[in-house]
Amino acid sequence: MSALHINEIQKYFGALLVLDGVSLDIAQSEVVAVIGRSGSGKSTMLRCINGLEKIQAGSIEVAGHRIGPQGGDLRSLRKEVGMVFQSYNLFPHLTVLENVTLAPKVVKGVGREEAEAIAHDVLRRVGLAEKSGAYSDELSGGQQQRVAIARSLAMQPKVMLFDEVTSALDPELTGEVLKTMEELADAGMTMVLVTHEMGFARQVADRTVFMHKGKVWEQGPSEELFSYPQTPELRNFIAPNLK
Amino acid sequence: MAYQMNFAPVMALAPQLFEGAFNTLILSGQSIVAGIAIGVVGAVGRTEGPRWLDRAIGAYVELFRNTPLLVQLFLIFFGLPYIGLRLSANAAAIIAVALNLGAYSTEILRAGLQAIPRTQIEAGLALGMSRLQVVRYVVIVPALRIIYPALTGQLTLTLLGSSIASAISATELTAAGARIESTTFRSLETFLCVAVIYIAMTFTFRFIYWLIGLLLFRRKAPPKPSLIADISEISRVGV
Ligand SMILES: Nc1ncnc2c1ncn2[C@@H]1O[C@H](COP(=O)(O)OP(=O)(O)OP(=O)(O)O)[C@@H](O)[C@H]1O
Ligand SMILES: [Mg+2]
């Protein structure tokens, strides 16, 4: 059974059709990279998956929770789907530890001690165990993004969504975040990542999806897709990136 | 011939002034707690609630921000008995001042809620929080931090505004002053004393708001109120 099932979703912003019948099936522990030009609907697709945007047709299923045009049990679905944003979005009034323990405490009702044990565990996984008392403005961008990943991990999601999580970082800081994501992938996390890091997609993702004009234009095992692009659109898209 | 100040007759009645000051503290303290509570509910209702609720709260806000506090007080004190609610002067004053503060703080708090970036709210929702949990754990503290100076300024106005209760002979400080003035005929001396007591109270309150700010915003507390800074400066110099 697939971990994430996206069935023929359509998304309009006003009269603008942004997702035009997108379908994707993502298996347990699969890592899927999503690439495509600016405006092709990549972010919108991720945001639809955890219900930050309403869809107008189709359905999305994760871990037995289903959302459709009529909505659905968004909160149950979001407990299973972690999301990491380009701009980190840490809560600035809370320490790193409080950022990470907040959702387990208030959403799952986990006690303080257990929440802190979970937090220390996930912070160790992203290599920031010693920063638990810091505030976000005392961290580098790369560290903030790793805390954001830890915060999401603390909810023990079944699927994690990453939207260009290294795009706001200085080049010398992208490495540490990509390494954290690679370790997650190795640990068997099911991941969907929108990325402009073609090298990373090719190396880490089992499958790469090329989106164009709100559609899944072309997809396949990453190595194959990058080596033998079938459509002229994908060829045009990756050609400058290969130089 | 220069006017000779004579504080002695006023000082003889100082206990009345202190009782008045105490009542002002009680009156405005209760109004502040109730007014802030109204403001929080009003602001969250306007931003998170359905449209009809936004409209209803908006009407309340406009009503109370476009009429004088004194008129609001009269309407409550003289109007409520007609629907069978007979209130003491002090109770009517608390209600009027609280409703007035509620209207202003609704708008101040709403501005704070709206100043928080949508991305913060989405981060909370994406973690599975309900909208109200997001407001409570993610939005409120940073929002309060932004509007804290405006809010505490409004609270100072509330403390001073409670003086209008003297118009329905409640027993607060200004009323006590008026009574003393009418028996001693020392108008200037009486109201100088009243003014000094008001200043002492507002300074104390502003110091308390600053302390609360320190607790609330452990990180990056808002700046000390300037007058407080001046006082600590003076005491260090040893005046
Ligand atoms: N909230 C919104 N309101 C209206 N239009 C929107 C909104 N969000 C996105 N769009 C439009 O939807 C289309 C797809 O946007 P989306 O952000 O999904 O693209 P993307 O593939 O993520 O692009 P990028 O690589 O620049 O992040 C764009 O045309 C965009 O202008
Ligand atoms: Mg995008």
Side-chain angles (χ1 to χ4, degrees):
Chain A
M1 209 201 88
S2 55
L4 169 63
H5 182 64
I6 302 172
N7 182 34
E8 286 291 320
I9 59 172
Q10 280 194 344
K11 168 71 195 171
Y12 284 89
F13 283 115
L16 180 70
L17 180 59
V18 174
L19 294 179
D20 184 6
V22 170
S23 294
L24 269 183
D25 255 304
I26 295 172
Q28 192 72 47
S29 295
E30 193 181 12
V31 176
V32 173
V34 180
I35 60 173
R37 287 192 197 288
S38 182
S40 57
K42 307 180 298 293
S43 297
T44 304
M45 180 179 78
L46 283 199
R47 293 166 58 79
C48 287
I49 293 176
N50 74 350
L52 286 178
E53 302 288 354
K54 255 185 97 145
I55 53 177
Q56 277 75 50
S59 66
I60 291 157
E61 272 166 69
V62 185
H65 304 290
R66 182 192 157 96
I67 50 177
Q70 275 77 44
D73 188 356
L74 287 180
R75 291 192 63 200
S76 303
L77 179 117
R78 286 171 180 154
K79 280 186 219 170
E80 315 283 355
V81 182
M83 179 144 185
V84 183
F85 302 86
Q86 180 175 342
S87 51
Y88 335 131
N89 304 350
L90 293 184
F91 306 132
H93 60 299
L94 301 179
T95 63
V96 164
L97 186 70
E98 291 164 338
N99 264 278
V100 178
T101 54
L102 179 62
K105 279 199 267 192
V106 308
V107 177
K108 285 186 168 173
V110 171
R112 193 173 68 96
E113 275 178 25
E114 194 189 339
E116 289 184 359
I118 296 171
H120 285 124
D121 183 51
V122 292
L123 285 171
R124 203 174 311 115
R125 280 178 77 178
V126 301
L128 289 171
E130 78 288 0
K131 291 287 184 191
S132 61
Y135 288 88
S136 55
D137 62 2
E138 299 166 335
L139 302 175
S140 73
Q143 290 171 332
Q144 289 186 55
Q145 194 56 294
R146 281 146 64 201
V147 172
I149 293 173
R151 178 174 70 178
S152 190
L153 273 179
M155 287 296 284
Q156 293 155 329
K158 297 212 162 59
V159 177
M160 283 186 73
L161 313 174
F162 297 84
D163 191 2
E164 296 192 33
V165 296
T166 59
S167 296
L169 294 174
D170 292 335
E172 67 270 22
L173 296 178
T174 58
E176 61 188 66
V177 174
L178 293 179
K179 179 168 156 280
T180 299
M181 290 167 69
E182 195 171 346
E183 285 165 4
L184 271 182
D186 290 343
M189 177 61 74
T190 309
M191 296 166 51
V192 183
L193 44 108
V194 171
T195 185
H196 286 302
E197 304 271 349
M198 299 298 158
F200 183 73
R202 189 168 186 164
Q203 180 196 333
V204 174
D206 303 305
R207 176 161 47 126
T208 294
V209 171
F210 171 61
M211 287 192 66
H212 189 65
K213 294 188 171 161
K215 290 191 163 80
V216 172
W217 202 260
E218 190 174 339
Q219 60 171 315
S222 302
E223 194 50 53
E224 233 176 274
L225 188 98
F226 282 107
S227 304
Y228 311 106
Q230 300 296 308
T231 58
E233 289 80 7
L234 177 57
R235 240 174 276 136
N236 279 335
F237 179 70
I238 58 180
N241 289 296
L242 293 179
K243 281 190 205 130
Chain B
M1 197 183 74
Y3 179 73
Q4 285 292 309
M5 292 266 206
N6 181 3
F7 283 95
V10 179
M11 283 305 150
L13 296 175
Q16 286 186 31
L17 280 183
F18 289 128
E19 194 196 332
F22 181 74
N23 285 335
T24 286
L25 285 183
I26 299 292
L27 194 162
S28 44
Q30 288 175 308
S31 305
I32 283 174
V33 170
I36 294 286
I38 294 171
V40 168
V41 172
V44 173
R46 287 202 81 170
T47 49
E48 298 294 324
R51 181 164 303 175
W52 63 263
L53 187 60
D54 177 27
R55 294 248 172 87
I57 298 169
Y60 151 70
V61 166
E62 291 310 323
L63 187 67
F64 276 83
R65 291 205 311 176
N66 291 291
T67 50
L69 176 54
L70 187 58
V71 172
Q72 294 162 17
L73 177 67
F74 285 158
L75 284 176
I76 286 168
F77 185 56
F78 299 117
L80 287 187
Y82 285 104
I83 57 166
L85 266 175
R86 187 156 294 283
L87 296 169
S88 70
N90 281 355
I94 290 170
I95 292 174
V97 175
L99 286 174
N100 186 272
L101 172 62
Y104 281 95
S105 60
T106 291
E107 289 308 281
I108 294 173
L109 288 165
R110 186 166 76 121
L113 294 183
Q114 287 173 341
I116 302 303
R118 205 170 49 107
T119 51
Q120 286 282 305
I121 294 162
E122 288 181 348
L125 291 177
L127 287 165
M129 291 185 219
S130 68
R131 290 204 71 95
L132 283 182
Q133 284 175 334
V134 170
V135 169
R136 173 160 167 212
Y137 296 107
V138 176
V139 174
I140 276 279
V141 170
L144 261 184
R145 204 186 99 73
I146 295 170
I147 49 88
Y148 203 61
L151 185 65
T152 56
Q154 190 64 44
L155 297 186
T156 299
L157 289 179
T158 296
L159 177 79
L160 301 178
S162 69
S163 64
I164 55 104
S166 61
I168 53 169
S169 62
T171 54
E172 46 67 67
L173 178 55
T174 302
R179 260 197 330 279
I180 292 171
E181 190 262 350
S182 68
T183 53
T184 63
F185 303 107
R186 289 282 162 189
S187 316
L188 182 59
E189 292 86 339
T190 303
F191 285 105
L192 276 175
C193 290
V194 167
V196 166
I197 297 175
Y198 271 116
I199 290 176
M201 287 196 295
T202 52
F203 276 29
T204 309
F205 269 53
R206 290 170 65 179
F207 185 65
I208 293 169
Y209 301 146
W210 176 67
L211 288 180
I212 293 173
L214 282 189
L215 283 179
L216 216 49
F217 319 115
R218 287 162 300 165
R219 180 120 188 93
K220 286 199 197 149
K224 280 188 192 180
S226 57
L227 284 169
I228 302 292
D230 295 346
I231 288 173
S232 59
E233 199 62 47
I234 290 166
S235 63
R236 206 160 347 113
V237 181
V239 175

